[in-house]
Each structure stands twice: as structure tokens, then as C-alpha cells.
Amino acid sequence: MADGDDFTGGADAGASKTYPAQCSSLRKGGHVMIKGHPCKIVEMSTSKTGKHGHAKVHLVALDIFTGKKYEDICPSTHNMNVPNVKRTDYQLVDIDDNFLSLMDDGGETRDDVKVPEGDLGKEIQEKFDKGEQLMVTVLKAIDDEMAIACKNMPK
């Protein structure tokens, strides 16, 4: 290497946001990209091949962040993009200005995850206000992150 060619990358340097997978290898409960949205497959059916055609796979999936339903049909031999979905548990330290202050196992803190809307957000806020110690599960896919669950920390 030439002088000055220092490589300093993060932990996920070069990691792709999605990877290709053959349609026929996808499974219910797995993840897939449909119309640019990371989704969890809830229903899947395969149709028989026609005289000169391919077997088709019919996918029904829910967006992992919004819960919106998406459908897609593709030949079983074709590739579809699968999002790299990462799930991380954090300890809730504080709630400040509608953002969660979270700490990971290594003691690193972050303040960039919003309090989720709806019942989960209310539950997190209520339990935090009562002084309960909480673990918050954060789901990350593509360029999106969202708190999807909370549970009381073991004593």
C-alpha cells in the first residue's frame, strides 16, 4: 500500500443494504424488498408452470416499519432483493424531546431513535415515567431505524 492509503471504515463498511436471493428460496417469516420497502413475508404461494412459462411465486408481506401490506408476483427462478435486517437491544437511559436515549452492551449511548408512535410509544413513556428499567429493541433495515418492542430489564 502506498503511504497515505489508510483505510478507516466503520463496522459495516462495505456492507450492502440488501442481497439477492432466488424467489423460490424465500420463506414465510423471512424478509424481502417489495416496491422499495423492507417487508416481512406473511403469506407465500407458488403457482404451477405453464406450457412454456416459469412457476410464479405470489408474496404477501408487511412493511416492517409501517405495517402496510404489499404484494408481488415474480418467477421462482428470478432473484429478489432481501434487506439486511439488524435487531439490537438497548437499555433505555432517558427520553428527551421525543427521542430515546439508549445504551448498548458496550456502554455506547445514542440519542437518534425517535419514540415510536401509537401504543408502544405510550407504553415506553409510561413505564419510563414510573421509573422502570427497560430494554428497547431497535430494528434497522436500509436507512431506517425504529424501536419495535420494549421489555422490563431482569433484576
Side-chain angles (χ1 to χ4, degrees), residues 123-142:
E123 182 188 347
I124 292 173
Q125 187 68 57
E126 285 169 10
K127 286 185 175 185
F128 180 74
D129 291 343
K130 286 182 195 167
E132 294 180 30
Q133 292 284 309
L134 292 178
M135 289 294 280
V136 176
T137 304
V138 175
L139 206 61
K140 177 182 169 85
I142 311 304

Side-chain angles (χ1 to χ4, degrees), residues 60-80:
V60 179
L62 300 176
D63 187 304
I64 59 176
F65 296 119
T66 64
K68 191 173 174 200
K69 186 178 186 178
Y70 290 96
E71 292 190 46
D72 201 3
I73 297 175
C74 79
S76 62
T77 55
H78 285 206
N79 282 347
M80 284 192 82

Side-chain angles (χ1 to χ4, degrees), residues 140-155:
K140 177 182 169 85
I142 311 304
D143 286 324
D144 228 343
E145 280 187 301
M146 190 170 134
I148 55 150
C150 77
K151 60 183 181 241
N152 288 18
M153 281 185 63
K155 298 266 186 261

